Amino acid sequence: MSTVTFTGKAPSTRRSTKDAVLEGAVELAREALSSTTDGVGEHLGFELESERLGIHWFAATMPGYLGWRWYVSVSRAPRSRTATICESGLLPGDGSLLAPAWLPWSERLAPGDLGPTDRLPHVSDDERLERGHVATGDPELDRIAIVELGLGRDRVMNAKALDAAATRWYHGSQGPESSGARVAGKSCAACGFVVPLAGSLGQLFGVCANEWSPDDGKVVSLDHGCGAHSETDVTPQGHEWSQSDLVVNEHGIDVVESTEVSGASSEREAAPEPEASQESEAVQEPEAPQESTDETGSPSDS
């Protein structure tokens, strides 16, 4: 049995760091970009990706693409002195303007984004909910769980979600830290228009039912307050000036000519004008008619 001995050299695993042919193909790469797009800037450098494969980088000069870079990958065949264009494209660089990372719609939606006609999808594993109370047939147990505690639903809020809601409400505009609550005379706990909530939240919150209050129909903390409290009043304030009693002067008499009297006098003054016009008509006598004569000049017999 003969033994075969391998005497050849093992292939080199050392990576080439230079390729003069590919590195010198700057103008070839620029022409490839310029033929398809505008905004090609200065040459930024060359990187050798692998054996006989490299990338030329160019600056992007289009508005809105600050920091972006054009790339052109070039290659060549073994023992060839001619570079060939493989592909080109645009990639972001350091400090370039990028769109925010994509988020699913369910994670992107924030409180306050939902409109009156929008509808959220059902979340079967909502971490804020837990299984509700199922009727057991025991009247007393079911009454406490369903009527008093309000647990007669498929799912109800868990303790963590209730604490989060209480914290959000308490530190909101209907809590004790609002500007209106600080100047209110009394708190909502003593107001007759507050309807307490059922369950554990009723120990701290209620619903305002006063139509004159700015918090009407809203959940308010019991230590909240406003100017429409049922048991507060305003301090009576005087007038800005003192009004004296009316004084009637019964001794001084003011003579005022009425409109009827003045109208009658004007008619009397205007009455003589027609008489004057009649006299003028009487003075003007009509002219005597002229006698007609014939052609001989003698008067004609009438």
Side-chain angles (χ1 to χ4, degrees):
M1 181 176 180
S2 60
T3 302
V4 178
T5 303
F6 179 73
T7 57
K9 294 182 180 180
S12 175
T13 58
R14 185 175 57 186
R15 180 179 176 181
S16 177
T17 57
K18 290 184 179 181
D19 193 312
V21 175
L22 300 181
E23 187 173 358
V26 177
E27 293 304 321
L28 177 66
R30 182 184 295 276
E31 291 177 3
L33 283 176
S34 301
S35 62
T36 57
T37 185
D38 296 330
V40 181
E42 62 177 344
H43 184 254
L44 299 179
F46 173 79
E47 295 179 3
L48 189 64
E49 291 292 312
S50 62
E51 187 176 3
R52 298 186 300 276
L53 178 63
I55 297 178
H56 285 279
W57 296 97
F58 297 89
T61 59
M62 300 90 66
Y65 285 86
L66 181 65
W68 287 67
R69 301 180 300 170
W70 293 105
Y71 74 89
V72 180
S73 60
V74 292
S75 181
R76 65 180 180 87
R79 294 184 297 275
S80 174
R81 307 296 296 177
T82 303
T84 304
I85 303 296
C86 295
E87 64 177 0
S88 62
L90 185 64
L91 291 176
D94 297 336
S96 57
L97 181 62
L98 299 175
W102 183 85
L103 290 176
W105 179 80
S106 58
E107 299 179 13
R108 187 169 63 250
L109 193 66
D113 293 344
L114 195 67
T117 58
D118 296 333
R119 180 179 298 181
L120 289 176
H122 180 268
V123 182
S124 58
D125 56 346
D126 197 325
E127 60 180 9
R128 301 170 298 174
L129 302 176
E130 63 184 11
R131 188 172 181 82
H133 177 78
V134 180
T136 61
D138 187 345
E140 183 63 20
L141 181 60
D142 292 344
R143 183 186 66 82
I144 296 175
I146 298 176
V147 179
E148 296 186 6
L149 300 180
L151 301 178
R153 290 161 288 168
D154 294 338
R155 295 188 297 174
V156 295
M157 295 178 65
N158 53 30
K160 183 179 179 180
L162 289 174
D163 291 342
T167 302
R168 186 172 63 251
W169 294 348
Y170 194 79
H171 295 289
S173 58
Q174 278 72 44
E177 301 174 358
S178 64
S179 58
R182 294 175 182 175
V183 299
K186 289 186 178 181
S187 64
C188 294
C191 182
F193 295 105
V194 173
V195 181
L197 295 180
S200 59
L201 290 176
Q203 301 176 6
L204 190 59
F205 299 99
V207 177
C208 179
N210 188 352
E211 60 181 338
W212 295 104
S213 172
D215 302 318
D216 181 35
K218 300 178 182 178
V219 176
V220 295
S221 65
L222 296 181
D223 50 359
H224 181 65
C226 71
H229 199 283
S230 63
E231 308 304 326
T232 59
D233 198 357
V234 295
T235 304
Q237 298 179 359
H239 298 287
E240 295 182 357
W241 68 91
S242 298
Q243 179 65 45
S244 61
D245 296 334
L246 295 178
V247 178
V248 180
N249 186 2
E250 299 179 352
H251 301 284
I253 299 176
D254 296 334
V255 179
V256 179
E257 185 177 1
S258 64
T259 307
E260 297 179 356
V261 175
S262 61
S265 61
S266 61
E267 291 178 357
R268 288 194 298 269
E269 293 176 357
E273 294 180 0
E275 297 179 357
S277 60
Q278 292 177 2
E279 294 177 358
S280 61
E281 292 177 358
V283 171
Q284 296 177 359
E285 295 180 354
E287 297 180 357
Q290 297 179 358
E291 296 180 353
S292 59
T293 58
D294 55 8
E295 295 179 355
T296 58
S298 61
S300 60
D301 296 335
S302 55

